[in-house]
Amino acid sequence: MSNAISNLRKFVSPEIIFGAGARKTVGNYARSFGSKKVFLVSDPGVAAAGWLEDVRAALEAEGIESVIFTQVSPNPRTDEVMQGVELYQAEQCDVIVAVGGGSPMDCAKGVGIVSANGGHILNYEGIDTIDLPIPPLIFIPTTAGTSADVSQFAIISDQNERVKISIVSKAVVPDVALIDPETTATMDNFLTACTGVDAMVHAIEAFVSTGAGPLTDMHALDAIRLINKNLPQLVANPLDSERREAVMLGSMKAGLAFSNAILGAVHAMSHSLGGYLDLPHGLCNAMLLEHVIDFNYRDAQDRYKVIAETLELETHNRSSQEIRRVLVDKVINLKQEVGLYQTLSQQGVKTTDLPQLSEKALADLCILTNPRSSNQRDLEVVYEEAL
Ligand SMILES: [Fe+2]
């Protein structure tokens, strides 16, 4: 009865403004926080797409100055967070606005944590390690997938150890998420596919998580339905604004689900992989998803059956093992429909890397809520299957 409604459940979420043009309210929100100087975090790609200037101008229209920080890598690094803290403090900023994908948003969370609490970002790895409240965070996502704009996660790359650290705390749930589907129009098809599959993985992992409950299930299942029905069509026709909005809504719901139910082995193994080889997060998840479903299935058959039904697969008159097979096939088909065929070996992973990858995945926080408890050898076998 781990999912019974009588179990106490907590659900955290930012204030959310969803819809075309939501980004334009950024000035109002910064003003309502009493901001005089905003620390505006983004990355070079988002700046080139024009969204950074768009947001800066909206702040300026409210008479709010901004200090721009764009030295953020695709997997944000500890030294970038610390450089951001230095600039934030030197410029005496008072509110943090992030515009971009998961990387600028996670970096912005890191800057907020250290600017308020001192020390080094690595000191805050783990669950609930942040004592002091961080500056107000206003996030504007430009991808439909990572959901750092609604989640209590921050993932930072430790280049020295070639690993990603996870920070999980209510303190890093943004105050405001301005979720504007228009901003995702500048994603290329590969990014749309990777971030969309990341969102699907969030929803699936949240639904089978040992931390799942009624407050998260409804969002997880809605997300699975929305992404399944709309992601392939959006990749086929990137100008379809209705599909774009539906995928963004699915991503947001997946984010609300996983932020509160936490994740599982796909993310634990993907964090390990992304830290080791600096690969795109969504691609890492995509290469692992069906193999983790196959591994976990034994211990969460009822939950995977509901997922199969939500994906509109026929489950009547099918044995549990048949449902397992059609579900795995469906996930592979969905990935292929959006153009993702990659395997770990094609990305440079070798058999000799697997013990170290598995060791780091086993130390990742996301493994704690995976429905099937696993040891290092188990994870090694799943990586092997994905080679
Ligand atoms: Fe993710």
Side-chain angles (χ1 to χ4, degrees):
M1 293 293 283
S2 63
N3 297 304
I5 203 160
S6 54
N7 288 344
L8 289 180
R9 297 289 178 187
K10 180 174 73 171
F11 190 91
V12 292
S13 160
E15 178 177 349
I16 295 171
I17 308 290
F18 184 96
R23 69 187 185 281
K24 294 172 185 164
T25 64
V26 65
N28 282 337
Y29 276 100
R31 188 160 43 81
S32 74
F33 286 121
S35 180
K36 297 210 165 30
K37 199 188 270 187
V38 157
F39 191 67
L40 183 50
V41 186
S42 191
D43 67 28
V46 175
W51 300 118
L52 176 61
E53 176 52 26
D54 197 56
V55 170
R56 192 203 62 75
L59 290 166
E60 194 178 61
E62 292 291 334
I64 300 166
E65 201 184 328
S66 46
V67 173
I68 290 172
F69 181 72
T70 56
Q71 292 111 285
V72 183
S73 304
N75 288 308
R77 301 171 180 187
T78 54
D79 54 343
E80 292 165 348
V81 170
M82 298 311 291
Q83 283 160 17
V85 172
E86 231 174 83
L87 185 61
Y88 179 93
Q89 291 177 334
E91 293 282 350
Q92 298 184 306
C93 298
D94 44 26
V95 163
I96 300 177
V97 173
V99 53
S103 310
M105 292 194 281
D106 280 346
C107 184
K109 289 181 179 185
V111 171
I113 293 166
V114 179
S115 64
N117 290 266
H120 193 278
I121 188 62
L122 286 172
N123 302 343
Y124 300 97
E125 181 176 12
I127 300 172
D128 289 337
T129 60
I130 300 162
D131 293 329
L132 299 175
I134 71 175
L137 301 177
I138 305 171
F139 281 12
I140 304 167
T142 61
T143 63
T146 73
S147 296
D149 49 295
V150 297
S151 83
Q152 53 179 332
F153 279 69
I155 311 293
I156 309 289
S157 238
D158 177 357
Q159 291 290 294
N160 291 332
E161 298 292 324
R162 293 179 73 187
V163 70
K164 287 183 168 185
I165 65 156
S166 300
I167 298 168
V168 185
S169 168
K170 198 164 61 174
V172 299
V173 176
D175 296 273
V176 182
L178 305 177
I179 305 178
D180 186 340
E182 285 181 352
T183 64
T184 67
T186 48
M187 287 196 291
D188 61 29
N189 263 0
F190 179 66
L191 190 57
T192 302
C194 284
T195 51
V197 170
D198 184 25
M200 178 62 98
V201 176
H202 292 157
I204 292 174
E205 293 217 285
F207 191 71
V208 300
S209 162
T210 58
L215 297 180
T216 53
D217 286 352
M218 58 183 180
H219 289 301
L221 293 178
D222 243 6
I224 290 169
R225 186 178 53 76
L226 282 163
I227 297 163
N228 179 49
K229 275 181 179 284
N230 294 287
L231 184 64
Q233 291 84 346
L234 176 59
V235 170
N237 180 11
L239 297 177
D240 187 334
S241 55
E242 279 180 34
R243 302 277 187 193
R244 186 167 295 289
E245 185 168 304
V247 170
M248 193 71 161
L249 185 63
S251 164
M252 183 202 78
K253 283 175 168 279
L256 290 171
F258 93 77
S259 174
N260 291 284
I262 317 299
L263 293 157
V266 179
H267 272 77
M269 296 174 71
S270 154
H271 289 155
S272 173
L273 195 57
Y276 193 63
L277 289 176
D278 206 17
L279 293 169
H281 171 67
L283 178 62
C284 291
N285 284 342
M287 293 187 291
L288 295 163
L289 177 59
E290 68 265 28
H291 305 288
V292 171
I293 291 176
D294 206 37
F295 171 73
N296 279 345
Y297 189 86
R298 188 196 77 182
D299 288 8
Q301 296 182 39
D302 291 348
R303 293 244 126 194
Y304 281 116
K305 184 179 178 196
V306 175
I307 290 173
E309 285 162 354
T310 307
L311 289 167
E312 299 183 339
L313 297 172
E314 176 58 53
T315 59
H316 297 299
N317 305 318
R318 275 192 162 134
S319 70
S320 183
Q321 287 316 308
E322 285 170 332
I323 295 171
R324 175 191 201 149
R325 184 181 48 76
V326 293
L327 179 58
V328 165
D329 287 348
K330 167 70 186 176
V331 166
I332 295 169
N333 284 342
L334 182 67
K335 288 185 347 182
Q336 292 182 346
E337 270 188 284
V338 298
L340 298 179
Y341 292 86
Q342 294 84 342
T343 62
L344 294 187
S345 54
Q346 286 170 359
Q347 302 300 313
V349 180
K350 299 181 183 62
T351 311
T352 49
D353 297 326
L354 302 188
Q356 196 179 352
L357 284 172
S358 310
E359 188 187 343
K360 287 180 173 169
L362 200 60
D364 190 277
L365 291 176
C366 293
I367 204 71
L368 298 175
T369 44
N370 193 59
R372 179 169 170 183
S373 65
S374 22
N375 58 35
Q376 191 178 327
R377 181 61 198 143
D378 291 331
L379 300 187
E380 241 179 274
V381 170
V382 179
Y383 276 125
E384 266 167 28
E385 298 284 337
L387 271 177

